[in-house]
């Protein structure tokens, strides 16, 4: 029973109570860079989920054989190998989105969420818990990306996933897309609003 509760906590905590973006304030750079449209935000989120989950499992499996003085190098090699695989899959099956994401898929290697979970969790826990931790933190990160991408594309372009959402009659009556929403500073403002709402709903996270 205790193991089940522990597994549940490891998976669900990163979704809200210990979200890597709005609580730990990690992975902000990619949140700013890839959320002008919803589609690349979704693809980036899924990519991070895959890399984080499998890198956690791999590092957990070999954690007892990794020399302490080269553990960071080993972690980077594992993440880099998985990132290359994800990048090649995107080039093969989602080329247009891959071009939109540009170098940011490769920069998953330097995402502090990944290195933080590998060092803080996978190096000290069994593969199954490490897998759940990777999935949970990846989903927590992806949720924030999708929320930011949703509002930026909707308010900045009037579309979602490339489909026109704001009807033409709104434009005919003077509605104008908010061009500021597609600029990187607005991503930071949207994230700040999410953090504000999140802290308001979670009193235990508020500083005294």
């Amino acid at each position: 029973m205790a193991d089940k509760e522990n597994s549940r906590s490891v998976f669900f905590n990163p979704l809200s109570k210990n979200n890597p973006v709005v609580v730990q304030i990690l992975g902000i750079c990619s949140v700013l860079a890839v959320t002008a449209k919803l589609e690349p935000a979704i693809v980036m989120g899924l990519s991070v989920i895959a890399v984080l989950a499998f890198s956690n499992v791999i590092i957990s499996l070999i954690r007892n054989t990794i020399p302490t003085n080269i553990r960071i190098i080993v972690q980077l090699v594992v993440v880099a190998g998985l990132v290359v695989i994800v990048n090649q899959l995107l080039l093969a099956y989602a080329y247009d989105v891959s071009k939109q994401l540009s170098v940011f898929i490769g920069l998953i290697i330097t995402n502090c969420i990944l290195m933080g979970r590998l060092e803080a969790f996978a190096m000290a826990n069994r593969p199954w818990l490490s897998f759940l931790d990777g999935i949970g933190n990846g989903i927590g990160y992806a949720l924030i990306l999708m929320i930011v991408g949703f509002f930026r594309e909707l308010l900045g372009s009037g579309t979602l996933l490339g489909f026109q959402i704001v009807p033409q009659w709104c434009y005919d009556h003077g509605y104008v897309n908010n061009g500021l929403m597609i600029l990187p500073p607005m991503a930071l403002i949207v994230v700040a609003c999410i953090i504000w709402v999140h802290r308001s709903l979670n009193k235990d996270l508020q500083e005294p």
Side-chain angles (χ1 to χ4, degrees), residues 20 22-23 52 85 108 144 170 173:
V22 299
V23 177
L52 185 50
I85 293 172
I108 291 176
I144 303 303
C170 290
H173 286 78

Side-chain angles (χ1 to χ4, degrees), residues 8 10 26 47-48 51 71 74 84 91 126 129 151 207:
R8 189 190 306 273
V10 166
L26 300 174
S47 300
V48 170
V51 173
R71 68 185 189 284
V74 174
V84 169
L91 287 172
R126 302 188 306 276
L129 282 181
F151 285 107
E207 296 180 5

Side-chain angles (χ1 to χ4, degrees), residues 89-167:
L89 289 172
L90 289 177
L91 287 172
Y93 298 105
Y95 182 77
D96 291 339
V97 179
S98 177
K99 297 302 289 183
Q100 290 181 55
L101 291 171
S102 183
V103 300
F104 293 102
I105 286 293
L107 289 177
I108 291 176
I109 298 170
T110 62
N111 192 314
C112 42
I113 297 174
L114 276 91
M115 299 309 298
R117 299 323 299 167
L118 292 176
E119 184 69 12
F121 198 92
M123 287 292 292
N125 290 277
R126 302 188 306 276
W128 174 243
L129 282 181
S130 297
F131 178 75
L132 292 178
D133 179 77
I135 291 290
N137 278 277
I139 293 175
Y141 168 83
L143 283 174
I144 303 303
L145 250 68
M146 288 188 287
I147 292 171
V148 177
F150 174 88
F151 285 107
R152 290 186 69 194
E153 182 175 0
L154 179 62
L155 299 179
S157 304
T159 61
L160 285 175
L161 298 175
F163 296 99
Q164 190 67 39
I165 301 299
V166 178

